[in-house]
Amino acid sequence: MSSITITETTADILADSTLKGNLSPRLFTRKEVIPPNQDVLWRIERGVVRTLTWGEDGTFITLGYWGTGDLVGYPLSKINPYQIECLTSVEAIAIPQHFWHQYTNDLLAHIQYSEELLSIVHRKPVSLRLWQFLVWLSEKFGRDLEQGRLIELYITHQEIAEVLNTTRVTVTRLLQQFEAAGTLLRHKRRIILCLSNKTIMNVSLKNG
């Protein structure tokens, strides 16, 4: 778990971009960590990443999920430790500080998504928290199908639990309840939300 320091790779990218007068994309593989830097933001051109930190006991705390068009980077959080993990193959552009003013809309979107997610993780009961998180994911990483809205991002029950500050067992149980109630479907390890199905309000929440 390294601290926030500039890497030679990032420095080379920035120098090359400045010389060429543009910002050059860089490719990352799934599970690769994008190098953080105090003076650099990364704009995701393709793929999905999650930002996270961890406690003294090593427990991961997910800060957000980000996709095409999103800005991520240590300057947007100031949390240390801070990590950007690629959940898919990713293409991203390193944006040095003197270019940030050109990305005002992206910066505002980052704030809005972060605050929306923050509000979700404090909802009670956990069943409502989980459902609203799934809806949030479907809005960022979903597409419409005849059956409902498919969340194209694969996310494990453990990763969901890390976001919502609950246990994997609770997430699994609640997803099974949603499926039994007809509010979601499974499709090749992905989730389809049946957003028009109002039975979500009738799902038992007493164990949430």
Side-chain angles (χ1 to χ4, degrees):
M1 305 300 183
S2 59
S3 60
I4 305 301
T5 56
I6 190 167
T7 65
E8 182 179 358
T9 302
T10 305
D12 290 343
I13 291 173
L14 295 180
D16 184 61
S17 297
T18 302
L19 287 173
K20 293 181 179 179
N22 57 31
L23 302 176
S24 302
R26 177 177 169 186
L27 299 178
F28 299 90
T29 60
R30 182 177 178 274
K31 291 300 183 182
E32 189 173 354
V33 173
I34 297 179
N37 180 268
Q38 296 185 13
D39 301 313
V40 172
L41 295 176
W42 291 90
R43 188 176 192 275
I44 308 302
E45 299 298 304
R46 177 179 57 80
V48 180
V49 304
R50 71 166 176 165
T51 50
L52 66 149
T53 185
W54 49 89
E56 293 181 356
D57 61 353
T59 301
F60 287 119
I61 302 170
T62 299
L63 304 174
Y65 284 82
W66 311 98
T68 302
D70 287 330
L71 286 179
V72 294
Y74 178 67
L76 292 174
S77 72
K78 292 298 184 182
I79 292 176
N80 195 7
Y82 177 88
Q83 185 167 292
I84 308 169
E85 178 189 12
C86 297
L87 300 181
T88 66
S89 59
V90 170
E91 181 179 342
I93 294 176
I95 304 175
Q97 191 170 10
H98 58 277
F99 284 145
W100 291 356
H101 67 279
Q102 299 180 18
Y103 296 87
T104 303
N105 290 338
D106 294 332
L107 290 168
L108 290 174
H110 182 97
I111 295 170
Q112 292 164 357
Y113 281 128
S114 296
E115 293 199 348
E116 187 176 8
L117 184 58
L118 181 63
S119 71
I120 289 172
V121 300
H122 285 78
R123 298 289 171 86
K124 294 181 179 180
V126 178
S127 53
L128 178 61
R129 192 185 311 167
L130 173 58
W131 178 256
Q132 293 193 345
F133 176 62
L134 294 175
V135 172
W136 185 84
L137 285 177
S138 75
E139 291 172 350
K140 283 189 67 66
F141 307 109
R143 62 184 174 92
D144 291 326
L145 300 177
E146 183 178 349
Q147 304 96 317
R149 189 159 180 85
L150 171 67
I151 301 175
E152 296 191 290
L153 172 67
Y154 173 68
I155 178 172
T156 68
H157 294 188
Q158 179 60 40
E159 289 168 345
I160 294 174
E162 290 169 1
V163 177
L164 302 181
N165 191 29
T166 187
T167 66
R168 180 189 58 77
V169 173
T170 298
V171 170
T172 299
R173 173 175 55 81
L174 290 174
L175 288 175
Q176 290 172 345
Q177 288 183 11
F178 292 162
E179 188 172 10
T183 57
L184 66 79
L185 304 171
R186 304 283 187 171
H187 177 70
K188 297 180 180 179
R189 302 177 71 194
R190 302 293 193 273
I191 291 174
I192 299 175
L193 298 187
C194 306
L195 297 174
S196 62
N197 191 334
K198 302 304 181 183
T199 57
I200 180 61
M201 303 306 297
N202 299 321
V203 175
S204 175
L205 305 180
K206 63 181 179 180
N207 296 321

